[in-house]
Structure formats: structure tokens, C-alpha cells
Amino acid sequence: MFLENASQKGWIEVICGSMFSGKTEELIRRLRRAQFANLRVEIFKPCVDTRYSDEEVVSHDAHAIRSTPVESAQNILLLTSDVDVVGIDEAQFFDEGIVDVCRALADSGVRVIAAGLDMDYTGKPFGPMPALMATAEYVTKVHAICVRCGNLAHHSHRLTADEKQVMLGAQDSYEPICRHCFARLRAGKE
Ligand SMILES: Nc1ncnc2c1ncn2[C@@H]1O[C@H](COP(=O)(O)OP(=O)(O)O)[C@@H](O)[C@H]1O
Ligand SMILES: Cc1cn([C@H]2C[C@H](O)[C@@H](COP(=O)(O)O)O2)c(=O)[nH]c1=O
Ligand SMILES: [Zn+2]
């Protein structure tokens, strides 16, 4: 529960989890509530994320909200001179500078809501997400449903042989799976 209009302003919220866990839906839900409260809201995503749209943040369930694609974290500071709330999607793709940018915004009274993958397909922490989570006041971890067994999923299993950390995709190339299915795959049992 977050107050849309708290008296002491400025903090960081992080929404993390695997793919298909509802990070973008939750981000959009919080940002829409801020818009209903007539707050000035700006939304950013890294310009590498062209998966569903260039200019919008879009969930796997086709919920969408207008956004500004930016090259680097520093661009966010240049575009947020007069805002109350900043939303950031796909935060894992930003450089480490995103942590200082979020901190500077929150220190200056802005509510920052950042959503991103906490782990890559190998199970390693993804980009600036660990530092962002450590810096945030509020961290929400959301879960998908394991497509193999129905448990709660917190891994994003890659279905292709590509070994680069960054590879855009959706159901075509990733599936959400639970700890136990992930371990079985790692052990080569499936
Ligand atoms: N295995 C799954 N578990 C949960 N949701 C799923 C699954 N596969 C598809 N979805 C869909 O993904 C939606 C969440 O999408 P989204 O918010 O974009 O997630 P994220 O940003 O975490 O990848 C769900 O509401 C649901 O419609
Ligand atoms: C696990 C993993 C994912 N990606 C990419 C795939 C998608 O384009 C995004 C995640 O989007 P979502 O909103 O969380 O569904 O990240 C990647 O590049 N590398 C990975 O290891
Ligand atoms: Zn499972």
C-alpha cells in the first residue's frame, strides 16, 4: 500500500521478479493511481527494449502506458525537472548510473517506481537490480506460475541456445519456471 499523496515526499519502490510475473502490470497499476491523484507522472524505459512498442510500456497481457525511451540513465534526470512520480520499466537494462539517478530523484522529493528482472536466464543477478533493491525503501517481488509444474516461478528459463545476457523476447524464447524445475534443467534431467 503506497500513499499517492504522502506529506514527506521522495522514495524508491522496486518491483522485481521473473518474466511473466506481473512486474509491468503492477508498475502500470501504481502509475495509473498516481495519475488519478493528478500527480505529474513521467515513465521511462531503455531504448533497447523495442519488444512490443517503441514508445509505450506494454505488459504481456497488452496493458500499455505511454513512455519515453532513453539511451542512458542520465537522460532521465534531464527529462524530470517538474514531476512528482517517475516510473521506470526494464530497469535491468540500464547502466549502474540508474542507482544514483533514482537516489537523486527520491532525495529531491520524487516517488520513483522501478520494475525489472532480478535474475537473468542463468539465475545471476541482473545489471543494476541488486543495487537498486538495496537502495529502495520498498521492494516487491512478484511471481509467475511455473509452466512445468504450477508452482510459483521466480526463474526465467531461456528456450534458445543464445548465451548473451541480453536477448529480447517473450513466450517465443522464455518460460517462467520454479526453483525445482530450474534445478532439474540445470542437472540435465529434462
Ligand atoms: N506462466 C505465467 N504465469 C503468470 N502470468 C503469465 C504466465 N504466462 C503469461 N502470463 C501473463 O503475463 C501477465 C503479466 O505480464 P507482465 O506484467 O508484462 O509481466 P512481467 O513484466 O513480469 O514480464 C499475466 O497477467 C498473464 O496474463
Ligand atoms: C531472462 C532474460 C530476459 N531478457 C529479456 C527478455 C525480455 O525482452 C526482457 C524481460 O521482459 P519482462 O518484461 O520481464 O517480461 O528481458 C534478457 O535480455 N536476458 C535474460 O537473461
Ligand atoms: Zn516447476
Side-chain angles (χ1 to χ4, degrees):
M1 175 77 76
F2 300 97
L3 287 176
E4 269 62 41
N5 237 333
S7 56
Q8 183 66 55
K9 294 187 192 300
W11 65 82
I12 302 173
E13 300 162 34
V14 170
I15 305 163
C16 66
S18 71
M19 291 181 67
F20 310 100
S21 60
K23 301 182 300 297
T24 302
E25 284 178 350
E26 179 60 16
L27 176 68
I28 292 173
R29 188 186 74 83
R30 292 184 195 181
L31 294 171
R32 287 219 192 289
R33 285 172 62 86
Q35 288 171 336
F36 280 124
N38 287 324
L39 297 173
R40 292 160 301 180
V41 176
E42 287 294 339
I43 304 149
F44 299 94
K45 66 174 191 173
C47 59
V48 291
D49 177 42
T50 51
R51 188 180 51 183
Y52 290 130
S53 161
D54 285 344
E55 299 275 328
E56 287 179 316
V57 162
V58 184
S59 78
H60 292 295
D61 228 7
H63 296 108
I65 195 163
R66 184 195 54 77
S67 72
T68 304
V70 286
E71 286 275 354
S72 83
Q74 286 302 320
N75 294 129
I76 296 177
L77 277 186
L78 303 174
L79 297 166
T80 47
S81 55
D82 213 12
V83 299
D84 302 301
V85 181
V86 166
I88 301 168
D89 201 16
E90 307 292 353
Q92 76 278 357
F93 289 150
F94 280 102
D95 50 283
E96 291 288 332
I98 192 76
V99 181
D100 283 339
V101 167
C102 291
R103 190 186 285 122
L105 287 169
D107 288 351
S108 69
V110 175
R111 174 184 175 191
V112 180
I113 315 171
L117 283 176
D118 43 12
M119 287 189 284
D120 68 13
Y121 74 102
T122 68
K124 291 205 184 76
F126 208 144
M129 288 302 289
L132 209 46
M133 289 157 73
T135 316
E137 278 91 337
Y138 307 105
V139 178
T140 306
K141 183 146 179 163
V142 286
H143 300 89
I145 301 299
C146 176
V147 293
R148 293 174 180 238
C149 76
N151 277 336
L152 286 185
H154 77 304
H155 282 287
S156 310
H157 172 56
R158 188 177 280 176
L159 299 167
T160 71
D162 197 319
E163 291 187 353
K164 289 194 302 286
Q165 187 182 44
V166 175
M167 189 198 87
L168 300 188
Q171 280 95 340
D172 51 322
S173 26
Y174 293 95
E175 59 184 23
I177 60 174
C178 72
R179 167 182 305 282
H180 306 289
C181 290
F182 188 73
R184 271 196 292 277
L185 280 165
R186 291 251 119 173
K189 291 188 185 145
E190 279 176 29

